[in-house]
Amino acid sequence: MGTVPGAILLGINFIKLKKYTAAVFTFIFGFIYLPVQYFLVAFMHKINSQNISSFRKSPEVFAAAIGMLFLLLLWASYIPKKLPYRAASYIVPILISLVMIVIIYTNQNLFSSHFLVSFAR
């Protein structure tokens, strides 16, 4: 999905647990990381002399993995260890995913290297 939707979902979970500081920090990180990720990917493409088309060696995957690891660290730091599992509805994650897909399809110039854009072309 991406760092921004992941940060939104993690922030919503923190709000449900009444961990408001962690929620605010997660939301801020998610939206600050978006331009950082954009410039990091562009920089990695610029310094890379080869045309990498492999999924494993893609700068996009590297930048997304860094964002995911940071969100995982936030989750591990603020979620209680003995938290019981409570099933939740899939509606919010599906809606966020659909909104992100629409944003990617309608703003292809911002997401020119994203794999979903290749389906739209």
Side-chain angles (χ1 to χ4, degrees):
M1 258 175 48
T3 307
V4 172
I8 291 170
L9 291 172
L10 184 60
I12 290 170
N13 286 338
F14 285 147
I15 290 171
K16 288 178 184 177
L17 294 172
K18 296 182 171 66
K19 297 191 179 275
Y20 301 112
T21 305
V24 169
F25 184 68
T26 303
F27 290 137
I28 290 171
F29 166 75
F31 288 100
I32 287 178
Y33 190 72
L34 184 64
V36 170
Q37 182 176 0
Y38 179 78
F39 290 115
L40 178 65
V41 169
F43 176 73
M44 290 177 72
H45 274 295
K46 187 175 181 179
I47 64 169
N48 188 7
S49 61
Q50 302 168 352
N51 185 12
I52 294 179
S53 61
S54 169
F55 183 74
R56 286 184 14 209
K57 296 180 181 179
S58 172
E60 291 88 358
V61 173
F62 176 73
I66 290 174
M68 185 266 319
L69 286 174
F70 192 78
L71 289 176
L72 180 65
L73 288 172
L74 284 172
W75 177 78
S77 299
Y78 291 105
I79 298 289
K81 305 298 180 214
K82 303 268 182 180
L83 184 68
Y85 176 75
R86 295 181 299 192
S89 173
Y90 291 114
I91 293 174
V92 173
I94 289 171
L95 288 176
I96 292 173
S97 298
L98 291 175
V99 168
M100 290 302 295
I101 288 171
V102 168
I103 290 171
I104 290 169
Y105 277 128
T106 58
N107 297 305
Q108 291 184 13
N109 56 339
L110 293 175
F111 300 96
S112 62
S113 59
H114 199 279
F115 76 95
L116 285 177
V117 173
S118 65
F119 293 126
R121 291 182 182 161

